[in-house]
Amino acid sequence: MAASTGNVDVITGLLEDYLSKFGFECYPLKVGWYNSVLPPTLRLAYPDDSLAVVVLSTPDMFELAFLPFMEERGCQGLSDPIDQCVKHCVSSAVSQCFPRQTVDVRYDYELLPSRKPKFLAQTAAHVSGAAFYYQQSDVRDQPWAEKKMFGVCVHPRFGGWFAIRALLVFDGVTVGPEMSQPVPPDCVPSREGRVQLLEAFNFNWQDWSYRDIVHPVQTYSQKQRDYFSTRPAQRIALLKTWGFLPMDNDQPDPNSDAQSQVNGHG
């Protein structure tokens, strides 16, 4: 099915209307934009003109989605509670908004059998125009010699106080050339700012200072900070003290810690 730009706006609008009340944002993209910047082994197996949407969580997600989810449903099994909440929200949106459409939903925490991620979250955010993905190659006269520096996305309104949660590919829905690729806002244009950002993210990510590289319109609440500052193995115990799980429920949380957009948990 070919979709006009107007139809893309309708599709994105339906998702946004459903998910925004839970603290999520949605940004459309063409699969070709994503595939064009990646090697063949990491590309999506869809035509270049296929429609996709990347879903981000804003600081509101914790209070609007996660805490109510824990209150109403609790944590099922051993998987990460945030992952369970995001999956519930996104899958509910897809089933209600597109009941007759096949949608390939890929979550940030999912891996292929090869152990490669099902999608590269920061790349998807960048090519959709949602957030600028600052990488080592974006710094002139790099001061790190041969050291590998991991990149990080910066949102124009939230800085680093957000996470990339899912990519939705609409099977069989194609978009023509009238849909042009947006340029993500360059929030950190100076070399000095980019050096500061990458060093804060790579060397001191646990103090969260990289998230404030731009002045954010909103940051995480204290309760949300307490949750993500807690070691993953201790988060179930924290949820118990908040009254969301029975105190005798000794399910472990096997997930490793998470660095903001890199794996989307904070």
Side-chain angles (χ1 to χ4, degrees), residues 5 8 151 158 216 258:
T5 302
V8 171
F158 301 117

Side-chain angles (χ1 to χ4, degrees), residues 93-113:
V94 169
S95 62
Q96 293 197 33
C97 297
F98 313 105
R100 290 177 293 276
Q101 171 67 45
T102 300
V103 182
D104 178 5
V105 182
R106 298 171 180 233
Y107 296 99
D108 65 290
Y109 55 85
E110 292 182 317
L111 299 176
L112 297 168

Side-chain angles (χ1 to χ4, degrees), residues 138-263:
D138 294 315
V139 177
R140 305 184 312 273
D141 303 321
Q142 296 175 17
W144 308 296
E146 301 300 316
K147 184 174 180 60
K148 168 70 175 177
M149 300 291 284
F150 292 99
V152 63
C153 274
V154 176
H155 191 285
R157 293 191 301 121
F158 301 117
W161 301 96
F162 80 107
I164 305 153
R165 300 295 181 181
L167 182 71
L168 284 57
V169 182
F170 289 78
D171 191 20
V173 178
T174 58
V175 187
E178 69 276 4
M179 181 177 174
S180 57
Q181 183 173 358
V183 177
D186 185 359
C187 310
V188 190
S190 71
R191 175 189 178 275
E192 293 74 17
R194 293 177 180 185
V195 169
Q196 178 187 348
L197 171 66
L198 293 184
E199 290 187 349
F201 181 68
N202 281 266
F203 304 146
N204 301 294
W205 66 268
Q206 290 166 307
D207 70 9
W208 293 5
S209 61
Y210 77 89
R211 298 179 189 259
D212 291 319
I213 192 68
V214 298
H215 183 67
V217 300
Q218 184 182 8
T219 65
Y220 290 175
S221 66
Q222 187 57 54
K223 195 162 194 172
Q224 186 169 186
R225 294 179 192 222
D226 291 344
Y227 181 82
F228 286 117
S229 295
T230 301
R231 294 179 64 85
Q234 302 303 318
R235 288 175 184 170
I236 292 294
L238 178 63
L239 290 170
K240 291 178 185 179
T241 68
W242 289 352
F244 291 120
L245 296 170
M247 292 302 290
D248 59 350
N249 182 356
D250 292 321
Q251 298 179 53
D253 183 352
N255 290 277
S256 60
D257 207 348
Q259 301 175 22
S260 188
Q261 302 89 9
V262 171
N263 49 21

Side-chain angles (χ1 to χ4, degrees), residues 9 12 29 42 47 52 54 61 64 76 85 92 99 108-109 117 136 156 174 207 222 238 244 249 259:
D9 291 341
T12 307
L29 64 142
L42 295 174
V54 63
M61 185 275 291
L64 295 181
Q76 307 296 318
C85 171
S92 296
D108 65 290
Y109 55 85
Q136 189 167 359
T174 58
D207 70 9
Q222 187 57 54
L238 178 63
F244 291 120
N249 182 356
Q259 301 175 22

